[in-house]
Amino acid sequence: MTGPESDRPDLAAMAARLARSLVAAERPVLAAHDVSMWGYVVLGALADEPMRTQAALARAIGADKTRIIGTLDELQERALIEREPDPDDRRVRLLRLTPAGRHLYAAVRADIRAGEERLLAGLAEADRRTFLRVLRRLDPADG
């Protein structure tokens, strides 16, 4: 490749800088709602659908199943999630959001999206739509 594109940083370098910036922007939002990043990730995964096991949840969010136990304990203590025995197999714990968990997730997500809107406001509308479409297309989770 020659021309101006050959002088650009690697995609991983640009994506990593953007990701770090976005995570840094989310930290105060999460703190204001008294939820950890992992807590928010768990709430988001359970907002889409209840999970049949903690191991399935861990796989869905890309976490070690032993690492999320403390997060699940905290969310349950705050009545944000429920872990109930499966009536068909009492060794299995069904995980789902409570109404309070759903409300908290929606509030955090709205505040995060407001910050994203401020960031994206610097783009022309066509560029913004293209950027979001390309991110979705390249997202391995959507593949």
Side-chain angles (χ1 to χ4, degrees):
M1 177 187 322
T2 59
E5 284 299 304
S6 65
D7 293 335
R8 71 165 171 75
D10 295 341
L11 291 177
M14 290 188 291
R17 285 192 298 270
L18 177 59
R20 282 192 300 272
S21 172
L22 294 172
V23 168
E26 287 183 7
R27 281 193 183 110
V29 172
L30 297 170
H33 289 280
D34 193 28
V35 67
S36 69
M37 184 69 74
W38 277 113
Y40 178 65
V41 170
V42 167
L43 293 175
L46 295 178
D48 293 336
E49 63 181 300
M51 296 279 172
R52 189 162 189 278
T53 66
Q54 292 177 186
L57 173 62
R59 277 191 304 278
I61 64 174
D64 182 279
K65 65 183 176 183
T66 60
R67 179 166 188 212
I68 65 167
I69 292 171
T71 299
L72 295 176
D73 289 344
E74 178 190 344
L75 294 173
Q76 185 174 15
E77 288 169 13
R78 294 178 57 194
L80 299 172
I81 67 166
E82 295 173 336
R83 291 188 282 188
E84 298 176 349
D86 183 336
D88 297 329
D89 184 350
R90 297 195 55 83
R91 297 169 296 172
V92 172
R93 297 281 180 196
L94 302 173
L95 295 101
R96 68 177 54 88
L97 289 183
T98 64
R102 193 164 298 285
H103 176 77
L104 177 64
Y105 174 70
V108 174
R109 187 174 186 186
D111 288 351
I112 287 172
R113 291 289 168 93
E116 292 172 351
E117 291 298 320
R118 286 188 295 276
L119 173 72
L120 295 173
L123 298 176
E125 187 60 33
D127 289 342
R128 175 190 171 125
R129 281 193 307 271
T130 300
F131 176 71
L132 293 172
R133 187 178 70 249
V134 168
L135 281 179
R136 286 188 189 113
R137 174 93 166 116
L138 294 177
D139 185 347
D142 285 348

